[in-house]
Each structure stands twice: as C-alpha cells, then as structure tokens.
Amino acid sequence: MPAFTVVIPARNEAKYLPLTLRALELQTERPAEVIVVDNGSRDHTVSIAQAWGARVLNCLEPGVARTRQLGLEAARTDWVATTDADSLPVPGWLEALSGGTPGRVALYGPMRFTGVARHWSVLSGGAYSAFLHGARLTGRPNLAGANMAFSRQAALLVGGYPDVEAYEDVLLGEQLARVGEVAYVRGALVETSARRLERGAVPFLWQHLRNITGHTRGYFEEDC
C-alpha cells in the first residue's frame, strides 16, 4: 500500500484546524507526513500546526491554488491526499483511499456537512453524492480539494494546480483524468464545515454554479 502525504492549505484556521489534525490522528492508516501550508494567517494557525507536529510551509503569495501547489511540490511520498482545514476525514479515510490506488492516478470520495442538524447532514451527503454521480456520467469527474488524492508524479506531469482564484482542485482533477484513471471511493468520507452556508443556501449554490461554468472570481472573501 502506498504512503500518503496529507496537504492542508490554511489561512486563519485556528478555530477549525485542531479538529482536522485530531481527525488525522485517528486514521486507521496513518499519513507518512502532514503538511500545513499557511497563506498569511494572522491568528494561531501556524503555532497550532507546529505544536501538533505537522510540517509547516509558508506560502507568501496569496491564493489557495498557489498554497496547494507548494504542498504538492514539497511532498515526499508517491501519493498526496488533500483536505481542508475545516474538514474531518473519517477514521478509515486514508485506508479506503489506499485500497483504491492500484491502476489509478487520482481518487475522490463523498462529503457531507458537519456542525448542522443530522437530517441536514444526511441530505447534504446525498445531494453531493448525486451531483458527483451526474458529473461522472458526463465524463467530467468533480474532485474537491477537501477530499481527493492523486499520484504526485501524475500531478506534476500535468502541471499541478492552475493558478486560479477557485476551482483549482476540480481543474486539476480534469487534467489528471486525461492521463489516467480517476476513481470514486465510496468509503473515503470527509465531513466538512457548513460555514459557507452562513450567507444562505442560495448564494452558496449560485457561487458553485458560477464555478462549474468557469466563473471563479469572488469565491473567497478577504477575511478580517
């Protein structure tokens, strides 16, 4: 089974990051290394990651794509798994991904919201799985940075993450699908924060629709 480096981009994530790191501690198959790539945090993100034992890199250029790219380039294992600093991979996440690697260049799995009422969590998971199934049927697998893994060599071969404001994870997934097999791993579940719903469900869905159609500007608001 291949070893995994887990890369986490972070900017002012002191509130959520400890839970993400704890979720990685609980993995049935432990990562070879965890890299937290800080993108100009002004809170305690860096000290939290260092205290936990992660390798911390500083990305001086703003942008999540550049942050993810730095983590990809710094990884020292054949496979890289990515999640976000507000997300919680279930304990069998890496084990499930590891089992899906033979013959593939990239993997992805289901997600659902956490921190909401159970029925909303279940509904979000079902809706997202249906969306992923539809994307697969159209030949355009939708890989999200909160829950994806890929061959480091293949990712570098296609040029890594494109330098865009958002949707960089999906675009990388599409490039990887052109050079090899990409597979959905049902057991590789990640629960993710519902904080982007704070502005309401309609703005959230509208922004994702814009991203899917190639309009990626304005996804991230400058934090205070």
Side-chain angles (χ1 to χ4, degrees), residues 16-218:
Y16 293 97
L17 184 59
L19 295 176
T20 303
L21 295 174
R22 176 58 177 163
L24 295 178
E25 278 185 352
L26 297 175
Q27 291 297 302
T28 54
E29 182 172 316
R30 297 293 295 273
E33 185 173 41
V34 175
I35 298 176
V36 174
V37 188
D38 181 65
N39 197 206
S41 294
R42 296 188 293 271
D43 62 4
H44 297 295
T45 294
V46 169
S47 59
I48 288 170
Q50 289 173 334
W52 184 82
R55 179 154 63 116
V56 178
L57 304 177
N58 295 309
C59 182
L60 302 179
E61 298 179 287
V64 67
R66 296 168 183 172
T67 305
R68 293 192 194 278
Q69 181 68 16
L70 182 59
L72 161 61
E73 293 172 355
R76 295 179 283 214
T77 55
D78 290 339
W79 275 79
V80 175
T82 70
T83 192
D84 288 339
D86 65 345
S87 298
L88 306 174
V90 300
W93 178 60
L94 281 181
E95 185 176 359
L97 291 174
S98 181
T101 57
R104 276 72 180 259
V105 297
L107 305 165
Y108 64 115
M111 289 194 293
R112 67 188 181 201
F113 285 131
T114 187
V116 296
R118 176 171 173 75
H119 65 281
W120 286 118
S121 178
V122 172
L123 179 62
S124 68
Y128 185 65
S129 293
F131 166 71
L132 292 180
H133 180 64
R136 292 199 302 275
L137 289 178
T138 63
R140 297 185 63 182
N142 193 281
L143 281 66
N147 188 7
M148 65 186 289
F150 46 80
S151 158
R152 181 175 180 271
Q153 182 180 16
L156 293 174
L157 177 67
V158 300
Y161 293 95
D163 190 8
V164 293
E165 182 177 344
Y167 210 53
E168 76 294 332
D169 41 7
V170 177
L171 293 174
L172 173 59
E174 290 177 355
Q175 289 298 316
L176 288 167
R178 293 186 175 98
V179 299
E181 183 180 352
V182 173
Y184 176 77
V185 181
R186 188 181 302 275
L189 172 66
V190 170
E191 297 184 314
T192 192
S193 163
R195 61 181 174 178
R196 294 204 177 278
L197 285 174
E198 292 174 358
R199 291 181 294 170
V202 172
F204 173 81
L205 294 172
W206 173 245
Q207 185 61 64
H208 277 277
L209 177 62
R210 283 177 53 80
N211 288 349
I212 291 170
T213 57
H215 300 83
T216 60
R217 292 186 61 82

